[in-house]
Amino acid sequence: MNIGDAAQLSGLPAKTIRYYEDIGLIEPSRSANGYRSFRESDLHKLTFLGRARSLGFTIDDCRTLLTLYRDRSRASADVKHVAQDHLACIDRKIIELTEMRRTLSHLVEACAGDDRPDCPILADLAAVVPGQSCARQSN
Amino acid sequence: MNIGDAAQLSGLPAKTIRYYEDIGLIEPSRSANGYRSFRESDLHKLTFLGRARSLGFTIDDCRTLLTLYRDRSRASADVKHVAQDHLACIDRKIIELTEMRRTLSHLVEACAGDDRPDCPILADLAAVVPGQSCARQSN
DNA sequence: ACTTATGCTTCCAGTCATAGGAAGGTCAAG
DNA sequence: CTTGACCTTCCTATGACTGGAAGCATAAGT
């Protein structure tokens, strides 16, 4: 199977598949003409990766998860640990975004949105004293 | 005022301030020795930028917002528009993360997390048929 | 006057997970 | 035998920085 078919079947762009080979996530064999040749197991890995990425796991997480997947003597605790860490990371992001959303929606509501220049949004951006804002922990 | 003080007072790293000059967001003057010299207005812009960034506005948004801020004849509708677009963007991200969170937390709950190899998390990652998963709209 | 330390400068490279595109080889169909 | 679709590698760009090297400037201490 060539990369085009692998892309079609896995749902990943060919570009991404080449990248995954580059960074050592997959190792498809090569045909005589130099084309990548994908076996069932390669395709399986690709769909695994696609699914893991769609759940927001980093490439590094994916590497770990793939290793655990291959390892028949793994402990499910190890997998759970990776997933829980990621879950915590997602939760932090959701909290951060929700906080932004809260502030921003207040500002948007307060803004008349007409042709006059007075704008509470700009006023907020301009007025905040550095030490007092919530800007610090966002990095 | 040198960059170190500007960094302290604005809460932004000196590196970031240099970067903002590089991309044309600010234009501090220079002292005789070649050091950047920050006026009150520069500092004001920096805190404005810091606040806008902490609300998740892109650099491009910041550029627009700064321009609107300078423009005394702006219409608040223009500002509101930028903010609303960003709010919609935040909402999309929250929805996406929440969807990930939902799936992932189910999987984590279902995983025993002991020393046995059986793991619903890996099973899910491995089993999904490409066309059927929710992987598509995440790009 | 000399050393040390801190602060400033520019420039180059790296991050993350790809995407875009150029230049060129391969293959099936008409 | 040419067209077009597919494949290859290699280089560059994204966003918003961050890290680090090499080299001046300045201030403090001895």
Side-chain angles (χ1 to χ4, degrees):
Chain A
M1 189 184 345
N2 285 347
I3 200 170
D5 303 314
Q8 196 86 57
L9 290 171
S10 69
L12 296 170
K15 275 271 174 189
T16 300
I17 296 176
R18 290 197 195 96
Y19 172 67
Y20 286 173
E21 187 189 13
D22 250 29
I23 63 174
L25 282 179
I26 53 168
E27 291 185 85
S29 58
R30 297 289 178 136
S31 305
N33 56 13
Y35 288 14
R36 285 169 188 82
S37 178
F38 295 82
R39 287 148 299 191
E40 267 312 308
S41 64
D42 295 315
L43 196 57
H44 197 185
K45 271 193 186 181
L46 287 175
T47 60
F48 183 103
L49 289 168
R51 174 68 171 157
R53 293 286 301 127
S54 84
L55 287 177
F57 284 105
T58 66
I59 290 285
D60 234 42
D61 286 341
C62 289
R63 208 184 293 276
T64 306
L65 290 172
L66 261 187
T67 303
L68 287 168
Y69 182 61
R70 299 270 120 175
D71 177 9
R72 299 289 187 144
S73 70
R74 70 191 163 247
S76 67
D78 293 340
V79 184
K80 189 167 183 172
H81 190 82
V82 173
Q84 275 175 329
D85 279 3
H86 178 44
L87 196 53
C89 178
I90 287 176
D91 282 342
R92 281 194 301 275
K93 282 184 191 160
I94 289 176
I95 286 170
E96 191 182 344
L97 285 170
T98 304
E99 187 52 38
M100 283 182 190
R101 209 220 107 87
R102 209 178 57 83
T103 305
L104 205 54
S105 65
H106 286 158
L107 292 175
V108 164
E109 275 169 36
C111 176
D114 54 21
D115 54 359
R116 286 171 302 171
D118 317 83
C119 177
I121 302 171
L122 290 181
D124 178 278
L125 292 175
V128 170
V129 177
Q132 141 198 339
S133 94
C134 63
R136 220 48 46 226
Q137 62 268 31
S138 70
N139 252 2
Chain B
M1 190 187 339
N2 285 348
I3 200 170
D5 303 315
Q8 196 86 57
L9 291 171
S10 68
L12 297 171
K15 274 273 176 188
T16 300
I17 296 176
R18 290 197 197 97
Y19 172 67
Y20 286 174
E21 187 189 14
D22 251 30
I23 62 173
L25 282 179
I26 53 168
E27 289 186 85
S29 58
R30 297 288 178 137
S31 304
N33 56 13
Y35 288 14
R36 285 169 188 81
S37 177
F38 295 82
R39 288 147 297 191
E40 267 312 308
S41 64
D42 295 315
L43 195 57
H44 197 187
K45 271 193 187 182
L46 287 175
T47 59
F48 184 103
L49 289 168
R51 175 68 173 157
R53 292 287 301 126
S54 84
L55 288 177
F57 284 106
T58 65
I59 291 285
D60 235 42
D61 286 341
C62 289
R63 209 183 292 275
T64 306
L65 290 170
L66 261 186
T67 303
L68 287 168
Y69 182 60
R70 300 269 119 173
D71 177 10
R72 299 290 187 142
S73 70
R74 69 187 163 251
S76 67
D78 293 339
V79 184
K80 189 168 183 171
H81 190 82
V82 172
Q84 276 175 326
D85 279 3
H86 178 45
L87 197 53
C89 177
I90 287 176
D91 282 341
R92 280 193 302 274
K93 283 184 191 159
I94 289 177
I95 287 170
E96 190 182 346
L97 286 171
T98 304
E99 187 51 40
M100 283 181 190
R101 208 220 107 88
R102 208 178 57 83
T103 305
L104 204 55
S105 66
H106 287 158
L107 292 175
V108 165
E109 275 168 36
C111 175
D114 54 21
D115 53 0
R116 285 172 303 172
D118 317 83
C119 178
I121 301 170
L122 290 181
D124 178 278
L125 292 177
V128 170
V129 177
Q132 141 198 339
S133 94
C134 64
R136 221 45 46 225
Q137 64 266 33
S138 70
N139 250 2

